Amino acid sequence: MNNQSNNLEKKKSKPNKEYDLDKDISIDKKKNDTIINKTVLDETKLQEEINQINKQIKEIKLRGQAKIDNIRKINQSNIKLIKYNKLEEFSKKILPIIDYLEEIIKISHKKNIQNSNIIQGLELTLQSLLNIIEKFGIKREGKENELFQDHLHQSVSNQTSEIIPPNHIISVIKFGYTLNNIVLRKALVQLSI
């Protein structure tokens, strides 16, 4: 026992190694610095990835907006073309009706019955139709004393005239019509030479 107590005393008498707090703090600081550096690097990488993703999102949005704009423009163009085609189709169908009304009125003037209520009603109807089609861009072509234009007029006969200068319209046999400056039908005219 003595021996054991001696050993204990020796251990007690031996100075304990002092705990090196500074060394532990230094090690912990290095560990923390490493962790912080790694975290900063990770944050930088994440921020770069976020920036890349934001750029991609912006590009996708721009491309999407461009596609929408293109679709809108194409649709507007198609709608405009459809409207024009329908208006042209309508115009070609209404022109014979206008021709019939004009022919009836011409015949009534030749037979001297223009004072009839029916003829006056037909004249008002014709004028209303002409006003309506004019609002849609349909223009009546061919007037007496007007200069002959081969893209608007078609000469069915020529005649010399002392009153009307050469290459001018003496009379209109059938009016022509244009839709927004596109010829639907040429006017049939008698031309002075």
Side-chain angles (χ1 to χ4, degrees):
M1 230 183 182
N2 242 351
N3 216 3
Q4 274 181 345
S5 26
N6 280 342
N7 277 343
L8 268 176
E9 282 181 30
K10 280 183 184 177
K11 280 186 181 178
K12 284 184 182 177
S13 62
K14 277 187 183 177
N16 274 343
K17 275 189 175 178
E18 281 190 28
Y19 179 72
D20 192 0
L21 185 61
D22 289 340
K23 186 176 180 185
D24 274 355
I25 291 174
S26 172
I27 290 171
D28 284 346
K29 189 175 177 190
K30 286 180 182 176
K31 285 181 184 177
N32 284 343
D33 286 348
T34 305
I35 292 171
I36 290 171
N37 286 339
K38 188 175 180 185
T39 305
V40 168
L41 285 174
D42 288 346
E43 280 184 31
T44 305
K45 282 184 179 179
L46 285 174
Q47 191 59 45
E48 287 174 3
E49 286 179 24
I50 290 171
N51 290 341
Q52 282 294 97
I53 291 170
N54 284 337
K55 282 181 185 178
Q56 289 173 350
I57 290 171
K58 188 176 180 181
E59 287 175 13
I60 290 169
K61 283 181 179 179
L62 287 174
R63 275 191 248 120
Q65 188 62 41
K67 284 182 182 180
I68 290 170
D69 288 344
N70 286 339
I71 290 169
R72 186 173 26 81
K73 287 176 186 176
I74 288 169
N75 286 341
Q76 286 174 342
S77 175
N78 288 342
I79 289 169
K80 191 175 180 180
L81 183 64
I82 290 168
K83 282 182 179 179
Y84 176 81
N85 287 338
K86 290 298 179 184
L87 183 58
E88 184 178 11
E89 185 181 315
F90 167 76
S91 302
K92 288 182 179 179
K93 288 182 179 179
I94 199 141
L95 292 182
I97 296 168
I98 292 172
D99 291 339
Y100 294 139
L101 289 173
E102 288 173 339
E103 194 61 35
I104 291 169
I105 292 168
K106 264 187 197 176
I107 291 170
S108 71
H109 284 281
K110 285 181 184 175
K111 300 215 176 210
N112 207 14
I113 52 171
Q114 64 264 21
N115 291 333
S116 160
N117 288 338
I118 293 174
I119 300 302
Q120 289 175 350
L122 289 175
E123 287 173 340
L124 289 174
T125 303
L126 174 64
Q127 192 55 50
S128 294
L129 274 174
L130 293 173
N131 290 340
I132 289 170
I133 65 171
E134 188 177 325
K135 288 179 183 175
F136 286 102
I138 301 169
K139 185 178 172 191
R140 195 178 210 188
E141 299 294 343
K143 296 178 185 137
E144 290 182 10
N145 288 333
E146 185 177 58
L147 181 65
F148 180 81
Q149 298 175 38
D150 61 351
H151 68 284
L152 293 176
H153 308 123
Q154 181 178 344
S155 175
V156 291
S157 66
N158 298 329
Q159 197 174 347
T160 56
S161 174
E162 294 176 10
I163 302 169
I164 297 174
N167 208 27
H168 281 69
I169 298 171
I170 294 174
S171 66
V172 179
I173 297 163
K174 193 181 232 182
F175 288 101
Y177 293 90
T178 57
L179 172 61
N180 298 324
N181 297 322
I182 297 172
V183 178
L184 296 173
R185 180 178 79 193
K186 289 184 175 185
L188 301 178
V189 297
Q190 188 176 29
L191 187 63
S192 70
I193 50 172

